[in-house]
């Protein structure tokens, strides 16, 4: 579910649960049972990977016929994580190896020198020796293609996946009673993002990054959602909702992540996509003012396109205030974005009909049903 930078109930529960998990880890009650090997990425010099060591079993894969109870149970398992502190993780990339320790919330990270002789579809292997044997995970990598024209950085909640931020009851149903197979993308997202990944000539292979304030606990659902909806793969850079170690400032997660990507891919222009429901417009405008020669366009998806609202007014005010010389558009649909991107030379002229067809196909899908009646008998 969407999360902001301030402490809230979910974060407090996470902190309380983390205290118990750390106590269990120190008392050796928790043994590693899985490695959450998040997708990593590389620029022309380095490779970055991040992961998490958990004492929980992996969550079952989603099924289209899963009941509300199946989905609710998976949601509980997704958030009821038992982190393993101090696990020694061996990381292997080409001829390089690293041994790192998981921190107090089970996270680890590492950087490697890019191995230009190693295959582009290579992965970073993560291994842990547990009492039951060796646990293995694989970090897939996004490498920059030499023909890449620009970098795409996109929000997730209500930009790619329908979260229902304007309706709390709907947002709760989507979060707790649905899975990656039953959640819906915003209309035309798959077509638009495939066109962006292909670029002006259709073969650019532009990298796509998804930056979200959703917690890392949502990683498996969002990863599966991207794959199931034929949306271009790319690293999911999510947020640690716990902040008890004292050295993580989660309140500025998006801003810090954006600046890191801009710095690490300094040779590539950037296209930014977000939504009007949170603070994407103000953040993106700030990024554009900081990097005026790098940002090619800012696109804000209207979370309530059927009527004017305070969300629209807030974004309009930011657009009027300006993001320097960077074009900034509040749009109701992906085909509106595609048309504007064509005018800037970001997409070829034939991309418009393809994205419009993707919008029409998604809009013709079965609409979200009413909240299911739960029979407790």
């Amino acid at each position: 579910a969407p999360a902001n930078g301030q402490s809230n109930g979910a974060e407090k529960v996470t902190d309380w649960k983390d205290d118990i998990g750390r106590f269990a880890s120190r008392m050796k009650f928790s043994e590693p049972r899985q490695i959450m090997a998040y997708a990593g990425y590389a620029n022309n010099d380095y490779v970055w990977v991040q992961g998490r060591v958990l004492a929980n079993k992996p969550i079952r894969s989603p099924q289209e016929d899963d009941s509300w109870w199946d989905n609710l149970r998976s949601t509980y398992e997704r958030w009821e994580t038992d982190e393993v502190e101090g696990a020694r993780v061996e990381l292997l990339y080409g001829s390089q190896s690293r041994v790192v320790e998981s921190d107090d919330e089970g996270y680890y990270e590492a950087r490697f020198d890019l191995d230009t002789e190693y295959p582009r579809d290579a992965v970073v292997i993560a291994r842990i020796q547990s009492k039951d044997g060796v646990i293995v995970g694989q970090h897939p990598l996004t490498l920059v293609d030499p023909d890449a024209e620009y970098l795409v950085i996109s929000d997730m909640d209500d930009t790619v996946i329908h979260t229902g931020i304007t309706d709390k009851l709907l947002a709760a149903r989507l979060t707790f009673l649905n899975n990656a197979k039953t959640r819906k993308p915003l209309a035309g997202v798959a077509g638009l993002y495939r066109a962006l990944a292909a670029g002006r000539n259709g073969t650019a292979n532009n990298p796509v990054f998804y930056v979200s304030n959703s917690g890392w606990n949502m990683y498996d659902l969002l990863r599966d959602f991207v794959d199931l909806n034929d949306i271009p793969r790319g690293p999911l850079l999510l947020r640690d909702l716990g902040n008890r170690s004292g050295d993580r400032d989660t309140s500025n997660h998006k801003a810090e992540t954006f600046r890191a990507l801009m710095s690490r891919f300094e040779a590539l222009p950037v296209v930014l996509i977000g939504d009007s429901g949170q603070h994407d417009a103000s953040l993106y405008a700030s990024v554009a003012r900081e990097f005026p020669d790098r940002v090619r366009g800012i696109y804000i998806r209207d979370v309530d396109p059927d009527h004017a609202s305070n969300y629209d007014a807030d974004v309009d005010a930011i657009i009027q205030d300006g993001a320097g010389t960077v074009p900034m558009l509040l749009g109701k649909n992906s085909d509106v974005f595609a048309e504007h991107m064509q005018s800037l030379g970001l997409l070829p002229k034939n991309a418009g009909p393809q994205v419009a067809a993707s919008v029409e196909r998604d809009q013709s899908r079965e609409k979200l049903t009413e909240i299911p009646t739960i029979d407790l008998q």
Side-chain angles (χ1 to χ4, degrees), residues 302-340:
D302 191 343
V303 296
D304 51 357
D306 295 330
H307 60 278
S309 69
N310 290 334
Y311 294 117
D312 304 330
D314 291 343
V315 175
D316 286 338
I318 293 170
I319 293 175
Q320 291 299 319
D321 186 49
T325 59
V326 176
M328 188 172 184
L329 177 68
L330 173 65
K332 297 183 178 182
N333 229 326
S334 296
D335 49 0
V336 175
F337 290 163
E339 182 177 353
H340 189 269

Side-chain angles (χ1 to χ4, degrees), residues 17-235:
K17 191 173 63 56
D18 287 347
D19 285 339
I20 296 177
R22 283 190 286 273
F23 173 77
S25 179
R26 286 193 292 269
M27 297 300 293
K28 304 303 181 184
F29 298 153
S30 296
E31 288 289 336
R33 302 185 78 175
Q34 70 165 309
I35 299 173
M36 291 294 294
Y38 307 134
Y41 61 91
N43 62 13
N44 292 327
D45 299 308
Y46 301 109
V47 171
W48 289 269
V49 293
Q50 182 178 2
R52 200 177 195 188
V53 183
L54 301 176
N56 311 73
K57 291 182 179 179
I59 297 174
R60 63 189 290 273
S61 299
Q63 305 297 321
E64 290 183 356
D65 61 350
D66 280 349
S67 67
W68 67 267
W69 175 253
D70 293 324
N71 294 330
L72 184 61
R73 182 177 60 188
S74 293
T75 300
Y76 171 78
E77 292 174 354
R78 186 169 290 115
W79 288 98
E80 198 286 307
T81 52
D82 294 324
E83 302 85 12
V84 180
E85 178 182 0
R88 290 176 58 82
V89 185
E90 181 184 20
L91 297 168
L92 306 172
Y93 168 65
S95 61
Q96 304 174 62
S97 65
R98 302 277 189 278
V99 176
V100 296
E101 282 196 3
S102 58
D103 67 11
D104 56 353
E105 295 184 33
Y107 294 105
Y108 64 85
E109 58 185 21
R111 190 186 77 176
F112 294 89
D113 294 328
L114 178 66
D115 187 343
T116 56
E117 302 300 320
Y118 207 41
R120 292 189 60 83
D121 60 352
V123 299
V124 174
I125 303 296
R127 300 193 306 199
I128 295 176
Q129 180 67 52
S130 75
K131 66 177 183 179
D132 297 322
V134 178
I135 302 171
V136 179
Q138 293 188 355
H139 295 271
L141 298 177
T142 292
L143 275 64
V144 177
D145 193 288
D147 295 328
E149 300 166 340
Y150 49 78
L151 180 73
V152 180
I153 307 178
S154 173
D155 180 47
M156 281 295 293
D157 301 325
D158 285 308
T159 302
V160 173
I161 185 172
H162 181 45
T163 303
I165 191 172
T166 60
D167 185 331
K168 292 182 178 180
L169 191 59
L170 175 60
R173 182 178 79 82
L174 292 173
T175 300
F176 295 109
L177 303 182
N178 280 263
N179 60 40
K181 283 184 175 288
T182 58
R183 297 287 293 267
K184 304 297 182 186
L186 276 297
V189 161
L192 177 65
Y193 283 46
R194 286 198 303 270
L196 285 167
R200 291 189 294 266
N201 62 11
T203 60
N205 198 23
N206 296 317
V208 183
F209 287 79
Y210 302 96
V211 181
S212 173
N213 271 335
S214 289
W216 281 108
N217 305 64
M218 296 290 289
Y219 182 83
D220 68 300
L221 186 147
L222 295 176
R223 176 202 60 203
D224 292 345
F225 175 86
V226 166
D227 287 345
L228 289 167
N229 288 281
D230 200 23
I231 299 168
R233 287 186 177 185

